[in-house]
C-alpha cells in the first residue's frame, strides 16, 4: 500500500506508510474517512493525511469519520470527537481523579472506612479539528486543535493547538523531548509514571534524511516547579528550554530508537546575596518501539535521566522537583537528579482485539534540606506503576476495554501508600 508521507511534518513524497509516519503502533494503518463534499479523493489518502498531522499519543484523536475536501483537492478539513466514558473502582488509598491515575497523588492519610471508591467520568471526551492544505506537496500546511472536558466542573481544557509547515511546528503541543508514539496504550489518560509526556508552547523543526534517520531541534516556553526556602524564590523565566533528538528507524520505520537531549537554564533569586542566579539543568532519554520478530507482539520502551527535568516527567510535574534547597548553602537551589523509565508489551490478537501490559518506575533524589516549602521527609522519592488491559473494537468507531492499574508512592522518609484501580471503557469516535 502506498501512502502520502509527511516525514514528521516535512515535505511530502510517496512511499510505504510506516517509513516516516511515526504514528502510534496501536492506531490502525488503514481507515476510512467518508468525504461528504467534493467526493473523489480516495478515502484512505484522506485518512493518511489526517493521521500524519495529528499528535502521536494513543489517546489523542486523529482522523474524523467525515471530511470536506476542497476543490481540486487543495485542502482536507475534518471535525470530529471522541465520547469516552470510563467507570472506575479504586481500592487501597483511592486517588480522587477518575481520569488520571497519577501515582504521585496517592493520598497518605486515607480515613478508615474510605479504602474503596467508585467513580466515573466522561471528562476524557474530546473534540478536535484537523486541517491539511496542499496535501502531497512541498508546501503542505497542517493545523490541528483539540481539547477535552477535564477542567473544573467539566470545563473544556485545551490539549493541542498548532500549525506545521515545511518541518516547522509552532503552537501548543507535545514537547519535542517526548516520544508519544513510544507510549504503551492505556485507558488511563495519563499513562506510566515515568513517561516523559508534557505539552508546551513551542517552536520546533524536524527533518528526515538518509535511510531511517530523523533529527529535531526546538525552543520551548520555560516553566519551573521548585521547592523554595526562606532565602530563595523563583523569578520570572527568560531562557527557553532546548530539546533535540536524533532517531533511527528500521523495518520501514515500524521500529525505531530515539535519543533525545534537553538543556534548561532556570532562574531564581538568592536573597542572601540579593541577586538572581541560574541553575543549569540537562536530561537525556532513549525511547522507541519495535515488533518482536514476526509475531504480533510489540515492545514499547523509554529511559530518561537528568538533573532539573522533573517538570518533563509526568509523575514529577508540579511537585517542586526541578529545583530544591541546597542544604549546605543558604540562598542556593540545586537541580534535582531524577529518572523515569517504562517497558511495555502489546499483543494483537486480531484487527479488533489487542492487549497490553506495562511497568514503570520514577525516582527523584532531592538532597536533604531543613528549610523548604515542602518538608524533605514528605518529598517524593519514587513510585511504581503497573497496567494490564484489553481493548475490543465492537464496530468501526465503537470500542470497549478493561484495565487493571496498580500504583505505589514512597516518600523520602520511607513512608509508602498504594492504590489499585479497575477501568472499564466504552467510547465512540466520530
Amino acid at each position: 500500500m502506498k501512502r502520502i508521507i509527511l516525514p514528521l511534518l516535512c515535505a511530502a513524497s510517496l512511499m510505504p506508510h510506516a517509513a516516516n509516519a511515526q504514528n502510534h503502533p496501536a492506531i490502525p494503518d488503514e481507515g476510512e474517512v467518508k468525504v461528504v463534499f467534493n467526493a473523489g479523493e480516495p478515502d484512505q489518502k484522506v485518512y493518511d493525511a489526517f493521521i500524519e498531522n495529528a499528535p502521536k499519543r494513543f489517546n489523542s484523536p486523529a482522523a474524523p469519520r467525515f471530511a470536506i475536501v476542497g476543490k481540486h483537492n487543495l485542502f482536507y478539513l475534518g471535525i470530529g470527537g471522541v465520547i469516552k466514558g470510563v467507570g472506575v473502582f479504586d481500592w487501597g488509598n483511592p486517588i480522587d481523579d477518575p481520569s488520571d491515575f497519577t501515582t504521585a497523588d496517592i493520598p497518605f492519610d486515607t480515613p478508615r472506612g474510605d479504602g474503596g471508591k467508585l467513580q466515573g467520568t466522561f471528562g476524557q471526551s474530546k473534540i478536535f479539528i484537523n486541517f491539511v492544505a496542499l496535501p502531497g506537496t512541498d508546501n503542505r500546511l497542517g493545523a490541528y486543535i483539540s481539547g477535552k472536558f477535564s477542567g473544573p466542573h467539566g470545563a473544556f481544557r485545551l490539549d493541542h493547538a498548532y500549525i506545521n509547515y515545511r518541518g516547522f511546528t509552532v503552537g501548543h503541543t507535545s514537547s519535542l523531548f517526548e516520544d508519544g508514539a513510544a507510549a504503551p496504550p492505556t485507558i488511563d489518560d495519563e499513562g506510566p509514571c515515568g513517561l516523559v509526556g508534557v505539552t508546551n508552547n513551542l517552536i520546533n523543526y524536524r527533518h528526515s534524511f538518509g535511510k531511517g534517520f530523523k533529527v529535531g531541534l526546538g525552543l520551548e516556553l520555560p516553566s519551573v516547579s521548585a521547592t523554595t526556602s526562606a532565602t530563595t524564590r523563583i523569578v520570572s523565566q527568560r531562557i527557553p528550554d532546548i530539546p533535540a533528538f536524533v532517531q533511527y528507524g528500521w523495518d520501514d520505520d515500524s521500529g525505531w530508537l530515539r535519543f533525545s537531549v534537553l538543556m534548561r537554564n532556570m532562574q531564581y533569586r538568592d536573597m542572601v546575596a540579593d541577586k538572581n542566579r541560574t541553575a543549569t539543568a540537562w536530561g537525556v532519554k532513549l525511547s522507541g518501539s519495535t515488533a518482536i520478530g514476526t509475531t504480533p507482539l510489540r515492545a514499547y520502551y523509554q529511559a530518561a535521566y537528568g538533573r532539573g527535568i522533573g517538570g518533563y516527567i509526568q509523575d514529577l510535574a508540579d511537585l517542586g522537583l526541578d529545583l530544591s534547597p541546597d542544604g549546605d548553602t543558604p540562598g542556593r537551589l540545586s537541580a534535582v537528579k531524577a529518572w523515569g523509565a517504562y517497558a511495555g508489551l502489546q499483543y494483537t490478537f486480531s484487527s479488533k482485539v489487542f492487549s497490553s501490559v506495562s511497568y514503570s518506575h520514577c525516582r527523584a533524589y532531592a538532597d536533604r534540606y531543613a528549610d523548604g516549602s515542602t518538608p524533605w521527609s514528605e518529598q517524593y522519592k519514587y513510585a511504581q506503576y503497573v497496567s494490564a488491559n484489553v481493548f475490543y473494537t465492537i464496530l468501526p468507531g465503537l470500542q470497549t476495554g478493561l484495565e487493571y492499574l496498580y500504583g505505589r508512592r514512597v516518600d523520602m522518609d520511607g513512608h509508602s501508600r498504594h492504590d489499585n484501580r479497575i477501568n472499564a471503557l466504552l467510547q465512540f469516535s466520530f
Side-chain angles (χ1 to χ4, degrees), residues 386-404:
V386 176
S387 70
N389 54 48
V390 60
F391 292 86
Y392 173 57
T393 300
I394 303 170
L395 296 169
L398 183 62
Q399 188 178 56
T400 188
L402 190 66
E403 179 171 77
Y404 169 73

Side-chain angles (χ1 to χ4, degrees), residues 222-227 234 241 262 264 266 279-281 306-313 316-325 333-338 364 366 379:
S223 178
V224 179
S225 176
T227 299
I234 298 301
D241 297 347
L262 176 69
R264 308 184 73 190
M266 298 174 284
T280 298
R307 286 187 175 273
I309 64 170
Y312 281 80
I313 299 175
L316 302 183
D318 301 322
L319 292 184
L321 286 170
D322 284 332
L323 302 172
S324 67
L333 296 177
S334 300
V336 177
K337 181 171 67 174
Q379 192 59 275

Side-chain angles (χ1 to χ4, degrees), residues 44-108:
Q44 182 65 41
K45 188 176 179 181
V46 177
Y47 175 85
D48 294 347
F50 283 144
I51 292 290
E52 298 295 336
N53 192 49
K56 307 309 177 189
R57 286 283 291 272
F58 173 69
N59 285 319
S60 294
R65 300 287 292 169
F66 303 96
I68 295 173
V69 173
K71 191 174 182 180
H72 306 303
N73 302 320
L74 292 180
F75 70 83
Y76 306 150
L77 173 63
I79 301 174
V82 178
I83 300 173
K84 183 176 181 179
V86 182
V88 177
F89 183 74
D90 285 52
W91 69 98
N93 296 275
I95 298 172
D96 189 21
D97 185 343
S99 294
D100 296 326
F101 189 78
T102 307
T103 51
D105 292 341
I106 298 174
F108 182 70

Side-chain angles (χ1 to χ4, degrees), residues 82-86 99 120-126 149 426:
V82 178
I83 300 173
K84 183 176 181 179
V86 182
S99 294
T121 181
F122 281 87
Q124 297 179 40
S125 298
K126 302 174 177 70
F149 300 88
L426 181 63

